[in-house]
Amino acid sequence: MQRTEPEHLVALRRELHRHPEPAWCEFYTTARIVEELERIGVDDYYVGHEAVAGDERMAVPDEDELAEWYDRAREAGADPDLLERMEGGYTGAVAVLRKGEGPTVGLRVDIDGLRRGEADDEDHDPAAEGFRSENDGMMHACGHDAHATFGIGVLETVADSDFEGTLKVFFQPAEERIGGGKAMAESGHLDDVNYLLAVHVGLDHPTGEIVAGIDGFLAVRHLEATIQGEPAHAGGRPNEGRNAVQALATAVQNLYAIPRHEDGATRVNAGRVAGGTAANIIPEEASLVAEVRGRTTDLKDYMAERARQVIDSAAEMHGCDVEIDVDGDAPSAESDGALVEVGYDVAGDVDGVDERIERDELGGSEDATYLMQRVQDEDGLAAYVGVGTDHPGGHHTATFDVDEDSIPVGVEWLSRTIQRVAAERP
Amino acid sequence: MQRTEPEHLVALRRELHRHPEPAWCEFYTTARIVEELERIGVDDYYVGHEAVAGDERMAVPDEDELAEWYDRAREAGADPDLLERMEGGYTGAVAVLRKGEGPTVGLRVDIDGLRRGEADDEDHDPAAEGFRSENDGMMHACGHDAHATFGIGVLETVADSDFEGTLKVFFQPAEERIGGGKAMAESGHLDDVNYLLAVHVGLDHPTGEIVAGIDGFLAVRHLEATIQGEPAHAGGRPNEGRNAVQALATAVQNLYAIPRHEDGATRVNAGRVAGGTAANIIPEEASLVAEVRGRTTDLKDYMAERARQVIDSAAEMHGCDVEIDVDGDAPSAESDGALVEVGYDVAGDVDGVDERIERDELGGSEDATYLMQRVQDEDGLAAYVGVGTDHPGGHHTATFDVDEDSIPVGVEWLSRTIQRVAAERP
Amino acid sequence: MQRTEPEHLVALRRELHRHPEPAWCEFYTTARIVEELERIGVDDYYVGHEAVAGDERMAVPDEDELAEWYDRAREAGADPDLLERMEGGYTGAVAVLRKGEGPTVGLRVDIDGLRRGEADDEDHDPAAEGFRSENDGMMHACGHDAHATFGIGVLETVADSDFEGTLKVFFQPAEERIGGGKAMAESGHLDDVNYLLAVHVGLDHPTGEIVAGIDGFLAVRHLEATIQGEPAHAGGRPNEGRNAVQALATAVQNLYAIPRHEDGATRVNAGRVAGGTAANIIPEEASLVAEVRGRTTDLKDYMAERARQVIDSAAEMHGCDVEIDVDGDAPSAESDGALVEVGYDVAGDVDGVDERIERDELGGSEDATYLMQRVQDEDGLAAYVGVGTDHPGGHHTATFDVDEDSIPVGVEWLSRTIQRVAAERP
Amino acid sequence: MQRTEPEHLVALRRELHRHPEPAWCEFYTTARIVEELERIGVDDYYVGHEAVAGDERMAVPDEDELAEWYDRAREAGADPDLLERMEGGYTGAVAVLRKGEGPTVGLRVDIDGLRRGEADDEDHDPAAEGFRSENDGMMHACGHDAHATFGIGVLETVADSDFEGTLKVFFQPAEERIGGGKAMAESGHLDDVNYLLAVHVGLDHPTGEIVAGIDGFLAVRHLEATIQGEPAHAGGRPNEGRNAVQALATAVQNLYAIPRHEDGATRVNAGRVAGGTAANIIPEEASLVAEVRGRTTDLKDYMAERARQVIDSAAEMHGCDVEIDVDGDAPSAESDGALVEVGYDVAGDVDGVDERIERDELGGSEDATYLMQRVQDEDGLAAYVGVGTDHPGGHHTATFDVDEDSIPVGVEWLSRTIQRVAAERP
């Protein structure tokens, strides 16, 4: 087997790192990925409407923001024809490589950045080496630049290997907002996938470690509620108001008080609230951004259903209307043991892997679970795997960075695991 | 004009004082009043179903309690035939006296006692003189014994006068629970009343004072809510409960937070709450006894409507059912100036009246307002009037008492006012 | 008596109208007023630190905003020397006119604009006539441009009259935020004022009407609370958070539930709330802008004290710190009858006054009450008076405008009332 | 080894069943146990003050109730001298059997009944066989009658065996209120115990099954809060009240909203609330019976600390005082593997045991954990074990019953396990 030149992958990763983009605005990133797909010469690729189920996208920004990032991608040199195929926030891509008879193996990588600024001092490699984010207030602070690079590296490596079967790589948008997993899962491209790997770097594992199976995803849903009341002068006509902030306060108090569940851990948070305009006006409008989680999808659904009842009743109590939007969602998932075993075995024989861990817990949420679930529902196998990398700052912090030495290690381990899976059909 | 012998009235008042009875249990009291009506020989009298609109009674006790007071009245010597006419809690009486052509003038007196114990020391006249309450935990602590006595005294006095017209005296049950006013107002007996006086003793006015017109009634409604959820083991299955105490707490918080009203004073109180059974059981049931008030009937209705919405939504929020009963109600009312003027004039010429006050404020609630409103709606005039009496303890306290010297003063003033009203038709 | 030329006053009013400025940013307005004072040649005038008690200013904007309005005033042509005296948000002026022996009479006018856009169509005179606001998002939508003009007109008119005594005109900043009254009341300039008039145009009275005494001010206080907790990951470490939004919700629920008061009307409003950053972070910070009111100053203080207790305890309950700032305040006040009578009498003899009203209710709040109270506390008399003006849109709306015909009417009525007050010393 | 005659044990169990007694009122039960101890001739026994640390008792009833049950025990024939040693609610006993050199092994059984009525139809054996509860509203509905019987049977069996060491049997009061474990744990009698077994019948395991180790206890604390405010007339002086029901509602809302914890399951319940007296009185007093739980003792303590803060702040917010009493408490605990193994092995060889289960989860709370913890803290081993019994109704229901065939099985298994433990010192 022959690796892609590590230099090329590092250069690609750095270029993506310079252009972090938010959910459904990964215009530059997608265009750049497609350039690579054409360079590699994959058999098919899908982009925009063809890659995701448009109606299932969650957390799509408003038109102004989409337009702003679209323009920025164009100015950064993205191919205008490709951009046109993504207009309206249809980002992401699916690449297909066909090599003889065999099962279909999928690899899912996510590609979006985070809304946070990046460190700018010499200790921070991207700053020192000149590939710090060029988009103020956005940063690849969770390694999705490396994930996309894994996708390209694996395609090229597997193309040059004796793999027999079909390889699909899913470049998924909007993971940070848990807004893209469902749209990709329901794109149709997952329907024939027999085995799926989803990969993440870091997670407090150093360079040289790999984790063959990650579990413990909390299922999660993000809700956005807008409560509409009636304003009134607080001194002169308090009774004529329909107080959206009273409804909000009642909702918040009761959201946190949703009963704990016998079946396991649940979570709830009213993470961002706002309402009203001035001291002397009965508040006409209020908004709530909340999340619920559960150790299982059922527990998350339990919390979501109760949350909806709380918010609806709180609005009704105060004579307000309310609209509740689902703004992100991901089920829970488990990594299938048979697939985990293959990855674990393969890792024993990959250069640069010093330590292999069979199982670990994530303790957070991820919408790769939508894709995993899709495959598992059709009797396929799925696993979420980790590639260790030394990262100076924690995930989502300003000093997060990927140790680039871990990139070829990850590419090789993933590629060889994919080959072995196709050959052994576990 | 000739007065009833004061001794007789005092004896009657003392007998009533010895037998205080709660709302809709005034069996002994009503029977005793009817004996007096027969002694006097009024033209007609109505009792029980004939005296009140049965369906409009509020705050009726349960059957066991009705039965207990019924038995007690029988044991105390009430006429069994009369008692039979009151079975099921249909107490109260209406007396009619017809004397030639003239308008119909009404006098409303209330007859129920209060659920509280009576003082038992020598400073307290009823104890010293041997006419203290014989019913433990019940007391005539608001002077309704004197009110009923006024009714009898006035009937006898007016019968012997040159009054021309019809006099109706309304012996109303259940005032303390604001549960009887509506039932009497809608009995039909008010429909032809042209002028109505309602009378109260004391109210911090001493013997020798009269008040010709009292206003400032707060309209009031009593609510009783029963919230029904589902129990569950708090450790094992918290999610299976439907928590009635959470619904209750949400309701209480939001009841007090009903917006103030531009049109004037409002009140709300969650006066008695209870719920749940044990620390380790998710509470299945909760109850709430609340009241709302308003300076006007509209303000009370505003509060009542909002309260209902709050309670309903709080129950719904927690998956509970709720039943809300109106357990008492009284509108606001104003005393008509033309009627007040007559009483004020008459008072200038009544022996024993040292001080006459034209107008005063009650600052509380009373369901005489239902009868007043009924008369006023038919273009009649109504006034709420006060007869001063030295009362050692405050109203509703264990040492409240009526100065019996004020009884003949009240009877004469009321009787002469009634005559003058009939003659002058203000 | 001789009036200022109406043309000059109209031109002044239009110039002020073109430059509306917010609380403590009335740099241009104050400078323009001072120019007029110099033109008239008053005996003394005070500006900036000399005109207000600096420490008592409330609702002062932050430095950036002060600087922005300062620059804007300079660019609009305000005298740089005058501006320097106002640096840091010390706006407003006090003018003194001395004419022989006699009492000191004060006139208070307010000078700030409102944060709202102005209509821009031909029906709106300021747009049609070319004196619409030049400051986007700010507007003289409450007639303070006319009030300042009254101040100048009255000074000039009284200067030319046979008034004997001292006239002080108080050009007060920051009324719309009830942030300036206290600072002016405690400046020392009120200490020798025997009689004070405060004037407002419009208030739904048409041109030709005057109101000799306005009452019914609700005392008011604005509060700004900042709640500080600890953030935590809502999925991973919910227990480590100190949830500022839970504290906020608890506070809001209980603020509205502060008990009503027997002594009269109270109000409370949580008019603007915000908190938290993202769905998955336990909210670290929350803010609340609230107001309380009362029919009397005592009632307002009762509400303010209870509000503070609610907010403090809510923060403590959730392990948060809280800082509560008073961001505006005004007591209640009553217009003194003797002073009202003079104004009412004078109005009977002023050209252009068709209708004089002795008393009216405001039903809102105003911080002129601080100045009135100051005078009344020293046994002086004070009255709040109204000058009718046809105003097409309501106060605080985009189409509010002053009928300029009402300006000379107001100036004459106020001037002659001031003269009569000095002469008669009511 | 020789068993106690089963007939005797069954008769004892039935006698105890007829006399169920609540927490700290187990006067008859304790006296009856002591009679058995004297019959057996144990080496020592302790009762009352000698058996429990008096100050550590929780959930002790008031004096009237203690006196009532004391009298009832005397009337039922309990030995007056023994009763005297228990006066004031010092019930329970500790028995000591010494047989040569060897470790000290403890067996803990609980002896209290439940406050609930017992079924009275022919399907219910105690009714059919004439040993139904003679104390109305109390029932041995959780098998503690069998537990006490186990204690006696084991003492007698071990006494007749070749056991070498010391056997202590702890007859613990007040388990149902988790009020007795701590008092017994801190009596001093546990200090030298090397091995402790605590036993429970049933738990949905049928006759013939035994469970060698039970875990999954939720640590628990019961709280009782009394909130004291000030009453006021709700119509006349609402502002003068200090509303205990508002404080209660605020507390309840925020108790359920205590944040979930990353370390595992927590629980909270406001299981019983009450407050206020009448619709028209601002509530002066309110009470709350609540519990918190946690998978670990630390989690329980976290909940308890937060609950205290919530209740304190809610009271303070409404100007109320509050007193919070701990009314029951139990830590979590784990059964030690080495001890579990012995019991499991022994069970393989006991007549009547058809099925042995190594480990099971309780999923509830128990204050045997206090005794277990005490032993484990001193490097001893402890296990909670189960003896299956066919029980027609569920635990705590009116039709619960113990299959008496399971009694000798339990006695033999426990006795032989104790012998083996002493011999093997695991």
Side-chain angles (χ1 to χ4, degrees), chain C residues 10-127:
Chain C
V10 164
L12 173 61
R13 179 255 161 171
R14 291 184 175 200
E15 196 179 339
L16 297 177
H17 191 88
R18 276 169 35 220
H19 298 93
E21 294 165 312
W24 303 113
C25 299
E26 305 92 339
F27 300 111
Y28 181 88
T29 307
T30 303
R32 195 61 196 74
I33 287 165
V34 171
E35 279 179 36
E36 293 291 319
L37 299 180
E38 295 196 328
R39 181 183 61 76
I40 295 169
V42 296
D43 294 283
D44 279 315
Y45 68 83
Y46 304 89
V47 65
H49 283 280
E50 304 157 353
V52 294
D55 293 349
E56 302 295 343
R57 293 173 307 153
M58 291 179 281
V60 182
D62 61 29
E63 287 188 17
D64 287 353
E65 188 168 4
L66 288 170
E68 186 196 324
W69 286 98
Y70 190 90
D71 292 347
R72 202 184 286 216
R74 204 183 45 221
E75 282 157 24
D79 177 343
D81 290 341
L82 275 171
L83 283 178
E84 209 164 300
R85 294 166 68 181
M86 295 184 260
E87 207 167 349
Y90 297 85
T91 51
V94 180
V96 185
L97 186 74
R98 295 197 188 81
K99 283 180 52 108
E101 288 281 303
T104 298
V105 186
L107 173 68
R108 179 272 203 178
V109 294
D110 43 10
I111 65 173
D112 53 327
L114 264 171
R115 288 185 190 278
R116 64 150 307 128
E118 181 159 12
D120 192 12
D121 50 68
E122 288 300 302
D123 292 352
H124 185 56
D125 274 4

Side-chain angles (χ1 to χ4, degrees), chain A residues 1 10 98 103 108 118 123 160 168 170 173 179 202 211-212 365 396:
Chain A
M1 178 159 31
V10 165
R98 293 194 190 85
R108 180 271 201 177
E118 182 160 11
D123 291 352
D160 285 346
K168 291 187 172 185
F170 301 91
V211 188
S365 299
H396 293 210

Side-chain angles (χ1 to χ4, degrees), chain C residues 332-355:
Chain C
S332 65
E334 299 297 321
S335 291
D336 289 301
L339 202 52
V340 168
E341 216 169 288
V342 175
Y344 184 76
D345 281 355
V346 167
D349 194 30
V350 170
D351 279 358
V353 174
D354 312 320
E355 178 86 31

Side-chain angles (χ1 to χ4, degrees), chain B residues 226-278:
Chain B
T226 308
I227 302 171
Q228 192 69 37
E230 292 281 345
H233 190 269
R237 310 187 181 283
N239 47 290
E240 291 193 357
R242 299 287 159 174
N243 192 324
V245 163
Q246 280 192 290
L248 174 69
T250 302
V252 168
Q253 290 241 313
N254 284 283
L255 280 172
Y256 285 104
I258 294 174
R260 281 115 165 119
H261 199 290
E262 62 187 296
D263 290 343
T266 54
R267 296 284 185 269
V268 57
N269 189 40
R272 199 171 75 233
V273 301
T277 52

Side-chain angles (χ1 to χ4, degrees), chain B residues 7-86:
Chain B
E7 294 73 27
H8 180 76
L9 292 181
V10 164
L12 173 61
R13 180 255 160 171
R14 293 185 173 202
E15 195 178 341
L16 297 177
H17 192 89
R18 277 169 35 221
H19 297 93
E21 294 164 312
W24 302 115
C25 298
E26 306 92 338
F27 300 111
Y28 181 89
T29 307
T30 302
R32 194 61 195 78
I33 285 165
V34 171
E35 280 179 35
E36 292 293 318
L37 299 179
E38 294 195 329
R39 180 183 62 76
I40 295 169
V42 296
D43 295 283
D44 279 315
Y45 68 83
Y46 305 90
V47 66
H49 284 280
E50 304 158 354
V52 294
D55 292 349
E56 302 296 342
R57 295 173 304 155
M58 291 178 283
V60 182
D62 62 28
E63 285 187 19
D64 286 354
E65 188 169 3
L66 288 170
E68 186 197 323
W69 286 99
Y70 189 92
D71 291 349
R72 200 183 287 216
R74 203 182 46 222
E75 283 157 22
D79 176 344
D81 291 341
L82 273 171
L83 282 178
E84 208 165 301
R85 291 166 69 182
M86 295 184 261

